[in-house]
Amino acid sequence: MLIVLSPAKSLDYETPSGTKLHTTPDFLDRSGELIDVLRRYAPGELAELMHISDALAHLNVGRYATWSADTTDARQAVMAFNGDVYAGFEARTLKPAQLTYAQEHVRILSGLYGALRPLDLIHPHRLEMGTRLETAHGKDLYAFWGDTVTGALNEAIAANGAEALVNLASEEYFKSVRPNKLSVPVITPVFEEWKGGKYKIIPFFAKRARGMMARYASVKGIAEAAGLKRFKVDGYAFDKKVSTQSRWVFRRRAEE
């Protein structure tokens, strides 16, 4: 199987990564095209485009100005991203063989880099996939990346003999993938909590659970998606009764 994740807005370039293993992103030329477009934006314009604060806009204008395809001072993607998903993944505690599994079986969708392997080196940046950044390719990043992300996933699927793509990404990022052009079916795990007398998706917990599932697969070395049904981490368990062939529901019920 192949797993896809979303990136994170928060970044960590200070905590030691714990590994010297690294690779280079596949689409640096395309990333450079986007950087060239982003460098035309003044801080105020960037704040409006991305719906961010003036402070964040100034920070990212500086990042775009110094961004380079050179990977000096860059960091592995799975170590740089620092949001809820990556708190669940805990990549720094993975053993070398487990990182190797992740490198082969996990891809991180990215607005700037398209599709990343966990150990691909990236520079600090912010560019969400849903940003309506107009380029020569169209009105937004979905138009810019076109079939590129899907093609990269198909290559990874062929390389590891995957029989399914496990979608642990958000809706915003998975829209960069064209499921009808994938060579395998898509399975989307869903994580629900018991709250207020019913099960519901709570984004904070769902994001963390996606990372925990990616970690579970990496630690166990799971080759086939069916092995994820045994995921019983932090109280979650697969609920066959409410799941479908393509939507696998994992639920937990904490005491209220």
Side-chain angles (χ1 to χ4, degrees), residues 214-226:
R215 177 184 176 82
Y216 176 81
S218 301
V219 170
K220 300 292 185 181
I222 296 173
E224 298 181 359

Side-chain angles (χ1 to χ4, degrees), residues 64-83:
Y64 303 145
T66 59
W67 187 93
S68 169
D70 186 339
T71 53
T72 302
D73 297 326
R75 168 163 287 200
Q76 301 95 334
V78 76
M79 307 299 179
F81 293 128
N82 195 37

Side-chain angles (χ1 to χ4, degrees), residues 11-62:
L11 301 171
D12 181 356
Y13 277 74
E14 297 178 359
T15 306
S17 65
T19 181
K20 294 183 179 180
L21 298 173
H22 65 270
T23 46
T24 301
D26 288 331
F27 306 114
L28 283 177
D29 288 347
R30 301 296 306 280
S31 301
E33 286 184 51
L34 289 172
I35 291 293
D36 286 343
V37 174
L38 289 164
R39 283 173 175 162
R40 302 170 193 164
Y41 283 77
E45 295 171 326
L46 194 69
E48 184 176 354
L49 174 71
M50 295 187 171
H51 308 291
I52 57 178
S53 68
D54 289 341
L56 276 175
H58 277 87
L59 173 64
N60 283 285
V61 164

Side-chain angles (χ1 to χ4, degrees), residues 2-254:
L2 186 73
I3 294 170
V4 293
L5 297 172
S6 301
K9 298 175 185 176
S10 300
L11 301 171
D12 181 356
Y13 277 74
E14 297 178 359
T15 306
S17 65
T19 181
K20 294 183 179 180
L21 298 173
H22 65 270
T23 46
T24 301
D26 288 331
F27 306 114
L28 283 177
D29 288 347
R30 301 296 306 280
S31 301
E33 286 184 51
L34 289 172
I35 291 293
D36 286 343
V37 174
L38 289 164
R39 283 173 175 162
R40 302 170 193 164
Y41 283 77
E45 295 171 326
L46 194 69
E48 184 176 354
L49 174 71
M50 295 187 171
H51 308 291
I52 57 178
S53 68
D54 289 341
L56 276 175
H58 277 87
L59 173 64
N60 283 285
V61 164
R63 286 170 170 172
Y64 303 145
T66 59
W67 187 93
S68 169
D70 186 339
T71 53
T72 302
D73 297 326
R75 168 163 287 200
Q76 301 95 334
V78 76
M79 307 299 179
F81 293 128
N82 195 37
D84 298 325
V85 170
Y86 297 89
F89 201 174
E90 295 184 277
R92 287 181 180 81
T93 65
L94 292 177
K95 298 176 181 178
Q98 295 165 349
L99 275 175
T100 297
Y101 172 95
Q103 181 77 348
E104 295 175 355
H105 294 270
V106 176
R107 293 295 179 269
I108 302 168
L109 307 178
S110 166
L112 180 59
Y113 291 95
L116 291 162
R117 290 163 294 192
L119 297 177
D120 281 349
L121 294 174
I122 63 171
H123 288 289
H125 67 281
R126 179 166 178 153
L127 183 60
E128 295 174 52
M129 189 65 82
T131 304
R132 293 182 64 84
L133 180 69
E134 187 171 352
T135 69
H137 300 273
K139 65 181 180 180
D140 55 25
L141 293 178
Y142 301 117
F144 177 84
W145 287 111
D147 289 335
T148 302
V149 171
T150 305
L153 298 181
N154 276 331
E155 288 182 12
I157 287 165
N160 70 28
E163 297 181 355
L165 184 141
V166 179
N167 174 25
L168 291 174
S170 66
E171 181 178 351
E172 174 188 353
Y173 280 88
F174 198 68
K175 280 175 64 178
S176 67
V177 180
R178 299 183 175 178
N180 63 323
K181 293 188 177 182
L182 287 172
S183 57
V184 295
V186 176
I187 296 167
T188 302
V190 176
F191 302 94
E192 296 181 346
E193 320 289 325
W194 179 261
K195 189 172 181 64
K198 62 181 180 180
Y199 284 103
K200 61 178 67 176
I201 298 171
I202 299 177
F204 168 77
F205 293 121
K207 290 177 183 179
R208 191 178 182 90
R210 291 171 189 157
M212 290 191 293
M213 179 167 279
R215 177 184 176 82
Y216 176 81
S218 301
V219 170
K220 300 292 185 181
I222 296 173
E224 298 181 359
L228 295 178
K229 292 180 178 179
R230 298 191 293 272
F231 176 79
K232 293 183 179 179
V233 178
D234 211 26
Y236 289 103
F238 176 66
D239 192 328
K240 182 178 180 179
K241 293 181 180 179
V242 296
S243 297
T244 66
Q245 186 174 359
S246 61
R247 187 178 186 269
W248 293 0
V249 180
F250 295 80
R251 288 175 163 176
R252 68 175 178 179
R253 182 167 181 167

